Amino acid sequence: MLKINYPTLIFYGFLIFYKILLEFLYTNFISTIFFYAGFLYETNLTLIIISWLLYLPLLFTLKAQHHKPSEFFLFIFFVLIMTPMIVLMELGGKSLTFLTYTVISFLIIRIILATPNLRIPNVKHGNALVMIIAILMISATFLMFFTKGGFGRINFNIFLITQLREETASIYFGGIWGYITPWTVKIFIPFLLSLSLFNKKYILTLALIAVQIIIFGITGHRSMALFSIVAIGIYLTRHKNNKNLYLLLFISSFLLLIYLVHIVYDDIIISSTIIRRAFFLPSFINYSYFEFFSNNEFIYYSNTFLSMLNDYPYGDTQLSYLIAGQVLGLPEMAANTGFIGSSFAHGGFVGMGIISILVGIVFKLIDSACSSDSHTSFYLSLTSIPLLAMLTSAAFFTSLLTQGILLLILIIWLYEYKEAD
């Protein structure tokens, strides 16, 4: 049962402020500068009232503190996807129908999270098995980097990141390495990093951070830096109360700071990157998927491991490039999206419902490993980046394989985390 205490009331108040802040930023920044990219200003009193009638009841599904990883992910999904989608419907003329589908998907996940906890039995020698696999995978990946000349072309010039990433994509992420390399850098190294950090092995932690920096220099993938930052942030705040509240305060303050930088210095690059790309573009792309597949054939999982059941109807054009070209007018770009937009592409409203159930089950499986707040912090450190990708930029089945969520579930089953003394 939801307890309404003082921190919770403050939390709800700041969630209301957060929506007002996004409305302000959309009206005074996004729609005035990026209208040419489809960020229009189209609203009326009815849409404003509907947006608040949808938004306010959803606040009661969230908590100021998270005691399970799912409570954190549900909060992040609400802040980064749900709220911008409501604002885009309210002020940008986007579809109320699709927003309703998304709200139902959100509630499906919330209902699943309210079911009894799952119990996963421990596996004998599971800890040793996970450690062996992790060391073997990391060793194999670095051997591949060495044999393919990765150390010879290492580059830390931030202005050449995109070029380096494009040049090395087929070298380090082609064929079987399209799975092994992401698993190594997104699952196994973060696993060892989280383990060393939460067991207070700080020298080993620094060594693993150095390994991530080296991988960044070899591959050009900026996400390498995020793993360490997220893990350290979760570790440092592991004993704090009302963590969702403080994260919301940080996000709101950060957005205000970036807008102030835009006003004072007439900046577009930083403000566009953070305000538009991080907070509005993922939701905008979700609507783009809806706009295309409302009038075109669904793909019915034909670009997944179920491709033998159905032919992909759009030739050689990948789904993300299809949307970028057909809806956004950017055929050279990839309009990646999270499970909301991609699940509609697979099967419309029914597809969204099916994938939302599966997302809820994934959250419950991760929750099952957490018997204390310390466990929750450890598994958040390990799982945050792949699951955030599933929510914002990667389709569900892509997240299971390439992002390594299936592997995460296997590790959670095999490895029994014990709190450090």
Side-chain angles (χ1 to χ4, degrees), residues 313-380:
Y314 299 102
D316 297 328
T317 306
Q318 295 180 25
L319 180 58
S320 59
Y321 287 93
L322 177 71
I323 301 302
Q326 295 293 323
V327 181
L328 304 179
L330 300 168
E332 302 300 319
M333 303 293 288
N336 293 310
T337 190
F339 80 93
I340 288 294
S342 59
S343 62
F344 185 83
H346 285 292
F349 174 64
V350 174
M352 292 177 71
I354 292 171
I355 297 301
S356 297
I357 292 171
L358 296 177
V359 169
I361 291 172
V362 168
F363 287 168
K364 288 293 289 187
L365 288 172
I366 296 172
D367 282 353
S368 68
C370 302
S371 57
S372 68
D373 285 346
S374 178
H375 281 82
T376 295
S377 295
F378 172 76
Y379 286 107
L380 271 180

Side-chain angles (χ1 to χ4, degrees), residues 63-108:
K63 298 180 180 179
Q65 170 72 322
H66 57 257
H67 296 289
K68 296 290 185 181
S70 63
E71 294 170 350
F72 170 78
F73 292 124
L74 197 73
F75 164 72
I76 290 296
F77 180 51
F78 186 83
V79 169
L80 295 185
I81 300 297
M82 289 296 305
T83 306
M85 286 190 71
I86 291 174
V87 172
L88 284 169
M89 182 282 299
E90 174 190 8
L91 303 179
K94 294 302 181 180
S95 171
L96 175 59
T97 299
F98 185 59
L99 177 60
T100 304
Y101 293 166
T102 305
V103 169
I104 293 172
S105 296
F106 178 85
L107 293 175
I108 287 173

Side-chain angles (χ1 to χ4, degrees), residues 38 52 58 65 81 136 154 198 207 230 293 309-310:
W52 284 103
L58 291 175
Q65 170 72 322
I81 300 297
L136 288 175
I154 194 168
F198 279 80
V230 169
F293 285 101
L309 302 178
N310 190 37

